[in-house]
């Protein structure tokens, strides 16, 4: 039986894919499989992956005929995965040698549904450690119990799918698939659902995942309309949280986080194309009107003056029927 399936989507990352694949080779084991999903790349990435399919132990090469985005590519990998445990890596990131063996050992020792790990963020030559915002390490807990408080960063705000490992029972229960078609913020509904519906998790102090920031082809660096999918993603978070049995407790966190993300994008609106900037404002205003208004009032009251003022001004903006829908 395959012990660990690693799902790795690639899209136009010819510059970085060789490093990613070398790091997978340094993590290979006879019972590991590496599912390499080419999301219809238009550069040299397909050639690099075809070679890897022949040379990398455990490689499974899949290709999309049309580009579907990161969420859809991950789902393709999940559908093909055979492992008892599953994890992710993005096609422009890399790993320390032997990292997956340590990661697997941590979840087997703890016996929980999923484990979350720290990571190293890499921007050009700079390196910084980013930790799971959960202080109790190596202790199995209910993931639902660590969603709150609303006004502090918690484990649901650390939404990196690749920063952890997941038992197959979560995939069998439908908790590991992503919302098809989301071009950005795809991890947000995913991590919230995981924390609401899984039974057990732990955070561990394990470093070995290297997250490359500032990649020119990354959607976090591109100010086009795909960035606005964060609104679809957070609409889903709020909608699903409103249906939860603890909605009265959890909605303030969901709404406040949504507001913080809107404010963040408005604060750097100059990086968007002009037409997208206008759309960002109108769609964000409509999103504020869709939120539970009493919960929104409390969220704005709890935020700093600059963010609260920006959002209250936006809240008063007229919204067309088409945008509101």
């Amino acid at each position: 039986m395959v012990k660990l399936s690693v799902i790795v989507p690639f899209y136009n990352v010819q510059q970085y894919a060789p490093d990613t694949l070398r790091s997978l080779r340094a993590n290979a084991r006879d019972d590991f499989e590496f599912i390499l999903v080419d999301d219809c790349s238009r550069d040299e990435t397909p050639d690099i992956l075809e070679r890897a399919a022949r040379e990398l132990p455990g490689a499974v090469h899949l290709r999309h005929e049309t580009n579907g985005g990161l969420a859809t590519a991950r789902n393709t990998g999940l559908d093909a995965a055979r492992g008892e445990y599953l994890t992710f890596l993005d096609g422009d990131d890399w790993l320390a040698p032997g990292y997956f063996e340590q990661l697997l050992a941590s979840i087997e020792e703890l016996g929980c549904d999923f484990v979350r790990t720290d990571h190293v963020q890499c921007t050009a030559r700079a390196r910084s450690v980013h930790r799971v915002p959960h202080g109790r390490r190596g202790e199995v807990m209910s993931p639902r119990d660590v969603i709150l408080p609303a006004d502090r960063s918690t484990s649901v705000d650390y939404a990196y799918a690749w920063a952890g490992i997941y038992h197959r029972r979560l995939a069998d229960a439908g908790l590991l698939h992503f919302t098809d078609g989301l071009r950005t913020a795809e991890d947000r509904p995913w991590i919230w659902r995981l924390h609401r519906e899984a039974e057990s998790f732990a955070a561990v102090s394990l470093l070995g995942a290297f997250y490359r920031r500032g990649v020119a082809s990354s959607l976090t660096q591109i100010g086009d309309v795909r960035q606005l999918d964060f609104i679809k993603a957070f609409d889903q978070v709020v909608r699903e949280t409103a249906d939860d049995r603890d909605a009265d407790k959890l909605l303030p966190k969901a709404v406040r986080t949504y507001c913080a993300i809107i404010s963040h994008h408005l604060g750097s609106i100059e990086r968007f194309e002009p037409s997208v900037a206008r759309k960002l404002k109108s769609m964000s205003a409509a999103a504020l009107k869709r939120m539970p208004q009493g919960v929104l009032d409390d969220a704005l009251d709890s935020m700093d003056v600059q963010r609260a003022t920006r959002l209250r001004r936006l809240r008063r903006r007229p919204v067309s029927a088409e945008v509101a829908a």
Side-chain angles (χ1 to χ4, degrees):
M1 180 179 180
V2 175
K3 178 62 75 168
L4 177 66
S5 296
V6 184
I7 295 145
V8 195
F10 294 83
Y11 179 63
N12 290 351
V13 287
Q14 63 180 22
Q15 181 179 353
Y16 308 109
D19 289 341
T20 303
L21 294 164
R22 274 192 292 270
S23 76
L24 291 176
R25 177 179 287 277
N27 277 269
R29 210 171 82 172
D30 288 345
D31 54 353
F32 289 1
E33 67 175 3
F34 303 119
I35 303 176
L36 315 177
V37 184
D38 176 21
D39 193 22
C40 196
S41 296
R42 299 302 184 188
D43 61 0
E44 299 302 314
T45 301
D47 295 334
I48 295 170
L49 295 182
E50 285 177 12
R51 188 162 58 250
R54 297 190 299 269
E55 300 174 356
L56 175 64
V60 178
H61 182 204
L62 306 174
R63 175 167 169 79
H64 285 170
E65 293 304 318
T66 58
N67 177 257
L70 181 59
T72 302
R74 284 177 175 167
N75 288 344
T76 294
L78 283 167
D79 290 340
R82 298 174 295 150
E84 181 181 356
Y85 296 94
L86 304 99
T87 190
F88 303 91
L89 182 67
D90 285 351
D92 51 8
D93 298 336
W94 77 97
L95 307 163
Y99 170 67
F100 280 148
E101 195 148 6
Q102 298 176 66
L103 185 61
L104 177 62
S106 71
I107 194 169
E108 289 190 314
E109 179 182 349
L110 291 163
C112 51
D113 285 341
F114 67 100
V115 162
R116 303 290 282 153
T117 67
D118 306 327
H119 72 275
V120 180
Q121 181 173 297
C122 308
T123 307
R125 294 184 179 274
R127 302 287 186 270
S128 57
V129 174
H130 288 245
R131 301 199 181 278
V132 185
H134 178 70
R136 296 160 75 171
R137 298 299 172 108
E139 181 179 345
V140 177
M141 300 183 65
S142 164
R144 173 179 285 268
D145 292 345
V146 303
I147 295 174
L148 300 176
D151 60 351
R152 262 202 350 244
S153 183
T154 70
S155 190
V156 289
D157 301 307
Y158 188 80
Y160 312 105
W162 38 259
I165 185 170
Y166 314 91
H167 196 283
R168 166 157 291 281
R169 58 180 167 262
L170 295 176
D172 293 342
L175 299 183
L176 289 188
H177 280 71
F178 296 80
T179 302
D180 267 319
L182 281 181
R183 300 290 180 144
T184 192
E186 68 288 325
D187 291 343
R188 296 293 187 152
W190 178 88
I191 194 70
W192 270 84
R193 185 174 66 245
L194 204 55
H195 273 272
R196 286 195 315 265
E197 299 188 29
E199 294 183 2
S200 60
F201 100 112
V204 298
S205 298
L206 175 62
L207 284 176
F210 292 82
Y211 169 43
R212 199 189 299 270
R213 290 276 291 179
V215 176
S217 60
S218 170
L219 277 184
T220 60
Q221 303 298 310
I222 297 172
D224 71 15
V225 72
R226 292 172 293 178
Q227 275 278 12
L228 302 188
D229 274 8
F230 85 89
I231 291 175
K232 295 179 185 176
F234 275 96
D235 275 353
Q236 182 180 345
V237 170
V238 170
R239 184 172 62 251
E240 292 177 352
T241 304
D243 291 335
D244 189 88
R245 66 178 184 271
D246 293 321
D248 58 330
K249 297 177 183 177
L250 300 181
L251 263 177
K253 171 72 173 176
V255 168
R256 195 179 194 279
T257 304
Y258 196 172
C259 288
I261 298 295
I262 290 173
S263 180
H264 167 76
H265 283 296
L266 291 172
S268 56
I269 199 167
E270 68 280 352
R271 69 191 177 89
F272 289 95
E273 300 163 3
S275 62
V276 178
R278 291 190 295 272
K279 196 166 186 178
L280 169 64
K281 289 181 179 179
S282 60
M283 290 179 67
S284 296
L288 291 172
K289 290 177 170 57
R290 286 194 297 272
M291 295 180 199
Q293 294 301 291
V295 178
L296 176 59
D297 288 336
D298 292 341
L300 296 178
D301 288 344
S302 73
M303 301 178 84
D304 61 85
V305 172
Q306 182 180 24
R307 288 193 297 176
T309 300
R310 177 185 291 151
L311 292 167
R312 287 190 174 106
R313 186 182 302 123
L314 186 66
R315 189 184 186 185
R316 294 191 293 270
R317 180 188 176 108
V319 176
S320 68
E322 181 181 359
V323 173

